[in-house]
């Protein structure tokens, strides 16, 4: 899937791209968590599909999930997305059982200059993107920023309050800062350096998140960053290999107060459900 096609179609969220792939399902679980799967069920734990960004895994092994809302991939920077359907565990690891998604971003030398873009839509959707970069035969760099936000779904039914219609707190407000550069030593060797920071809020509604008297929305505070380097070696016009190393920090904080009802507390002490 080429980046030009994604931008020409006006796709607003990265996960929506995979509706273009035959056999893939895109949906939401827990009301506001986007997931995609190939010939499989849409579930919280996305344990059967590998997702990579420039060869760096985006799959969170400790949580068995892929965070599509906070993934540091602006749509304007996508060169292409390669989807390999079917088992690819031998090439991409144990999670590549159903399919593999590899998101490849544009080289810094292809985005030299200044680019600005702003998009808005219904349900409080908004996205602002800006990038600046320059390059020559020996060095190319790019600094990019993206802010994307959404209010999520408008309303929900609270079955514990007599089917009352209430506002839904299930949007997001994410900021992404990205730096990419390429250093060319000679026609045989060049070095890619990448770094990114993601911060913001991924909303969680107190009605859907849990019971026991949660008094405020347990929104997740996002604080991620990554570092990546890759040495590319071209041995001929038809053969090449690369050595890659990356480090990622994935951090979520959720804080809220709760007040357990007296009757619920007695049931807990008595071992009742």
């Amino acid at each position: 899937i080429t980046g030009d096609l994604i931008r020409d179609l006006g796709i607003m969220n990265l996960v929506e791209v995979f509706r273009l792939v035959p056999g893939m399902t895109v949906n939401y679980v827990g009301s506001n968590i986007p997931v995609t799967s190939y010939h499989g069920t849409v579930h919280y734990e996305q344990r059967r599909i590998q997702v990579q960004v420039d060869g760096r895994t985006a799959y969170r092994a400790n949580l068995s999930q892929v965070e599509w809302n906070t993934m540091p991939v602006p749509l304007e920077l996508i060169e292409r997305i390669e989807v390999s359907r079917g088992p690819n565990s031998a090439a991409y690891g144990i999670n590549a059982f159903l399919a593999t998604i590899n998101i490849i971003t544009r080289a810094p030398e292809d985005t030299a200059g200044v680019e600005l873009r702003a998009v808005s839509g219904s349900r409080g959707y908004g996205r602002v993107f800006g990038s600046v970069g320059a390059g020559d035969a020996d060095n190319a760099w790019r600094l990019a920023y993206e802010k994307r936000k959404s209010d999520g779904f408008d309303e929900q039914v609270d079955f514990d309050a007599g089917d009352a219609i209430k506002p839904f707190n299930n949007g997001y407000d994410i900021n992404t800062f990205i730096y990419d550069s390429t250093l060319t030593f000679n026609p045989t060797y060049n070095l890619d350096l990448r770094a990114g920071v993601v911060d913001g809020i991924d909303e969680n509604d107190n009605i859907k998140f849990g019971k026991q008297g949660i008094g405020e929305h347990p929104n997740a505070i996002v604080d991620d960053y990554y570092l990546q380097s890759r040495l590319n070696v071209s041995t001929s016009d038809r053969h090449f290999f690369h050595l890659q190393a990356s480090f990622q920090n994935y951090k979520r904080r959720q804080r809220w107060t709760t007040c357990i009802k007296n009757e619920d507390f007695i049931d807990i002490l008595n071992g009742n459900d």
Side-chain angles (χ1 to χ4, degrees):
I1 305 173
T2 65
D4 289 337
L5 175 63
I6 294 171
R7 292 181 283 274
D8 289 344
L9 291 177
I11 293 175
M12 299 188 297
N13 298 301
L14 180 60
V15 71
E16 300 290 339
V17 172
F18 303 103
R19 296 188 187 276
L20 302 174
V21 181
M24 274 199 163
T25 303
V26 177
N27 212 321
Y28 290 82
V29 296
S31 301
N32 68 329
I33 303 175
V35 298
T36 184
S37 179
Y38 178 69
H39 283 180
T41 57
V42 176
H43 200 265
Y44 285 95
E45 290 79 26
Q46 303 161 49
R47 299 171 296 168
R48 302 289 188 268
I49 186 170
Q50 178 64 272
V51 179
Q52 296 182 329
V53 180
D54 293 319
R56 183 184 71 255
T57 182
Y59 173 70
R60 311 298 183 186
N62 55 336
L63 298 176
S64 298
Q65 66 177 195
V66 177
E67 285 267 356
W68 291 103
N69 280 342
T70 62
M71 193 175 298
V73 183
L75 298 178
E76 286 77 9
L77 296 185
I78 295 177
E79 173 67 28
R80 66 185 185 275
I81 299 178
E82 299 176 350
V83 180
S84 300
R85 295 176 287 178
N88 292 277
S89 299
Y92 294 99
I94 59 175
N95 201 56
F97 179 71
L98 292 177
T100 300
I101 295 171
N102 192 13
I103 303 170
I104 300 171
T105 60
R106 302 167 70 184
E109 56 267 27
D110 294 336
T111 58
V114 178
E115 180 178 357
L116 298 173
R117 182 179 177 87
V119 181
S120 64
S122 59
R123 295 179 179 173
Y125 177 86
R127 193 166 62 86
V128 176
F129 171 82
S131 71
V132 60
D136 53 32
D138 298 325
N139 182 22
W141 62 274
R142 176 181 63 227
L143 184 63
Y145 167 76
E146 182 193 46
K147 181 180 183 66
R148 54 181 181 267
K149 62 181 299 183
S150 172
D151 292 340
F153 295 106
D154 295 332
E155 56 190 25
Q156 63 179 322
V157 178
D158 187 353
F159 297 102
D160 294 335
D163 296 348
I165 303 298
K166 294 187 176 182
F168 212 155
N169 185 77
N170 71 331
Y172 54 84
D173 189 347
I174 304 297
N175 299 290
T176 303
F177 300 86
I178 300 173
Y179 173 79
D180 298 302
S181 66
T182 300
L183 302 175
T184 301
F185 305 112
N186 55 54
T188 303
Y189 297 93
N190 67 71
L191 180 66
D192 294 334
L193 298 174
R194 306 177 186 274
V197 176
V198 182
D199 66 23
I201 295 176
D202 195 8
E203 294 179 351
N204 285 278
D205 196 271
N206 58 0
I207 296 177
K208 298 296 183 181
F209 186 85
K211 307 299 179 180
Q212 300 299 342
I214 292 180
E216 58 191 46
H217 296 300
N219 295 331
I221 301 174
V222 179
D223 187 10
D224 302 344
Y225 67 88
Y226 69 88
L227 301 170
Q228 179 179 344
S229 63
R230 182 167 67 183
L231 177 65
N232 303 293
V233 181
S234 299
T235 57
S236 70
D237 58 351
R238 300 180 60 184
H239 299 87
F240 75 93
F241 66 90
H242 64 253
L243 300 175
Q244 177 173 293
S246 63
F247 175 83
Q248 302 182 78
N249 180 79
Y250 175 81
K251 184 177 181 180
R252 296 293 182 274
R253 290 176 292 156
Q254 288 180 285
R255 299 173 179 172
W256 68 90
T257 58
T258 183
C259 181
I260 301 177
K261 298 179 181 179
N262 183 60
E263 56 270 23
D264 293 338
F265 190 73
I266 293 175
D267 288 340
I268 293 174
L269 292 178
N270 293 332
N272 299 326
D273 294 333

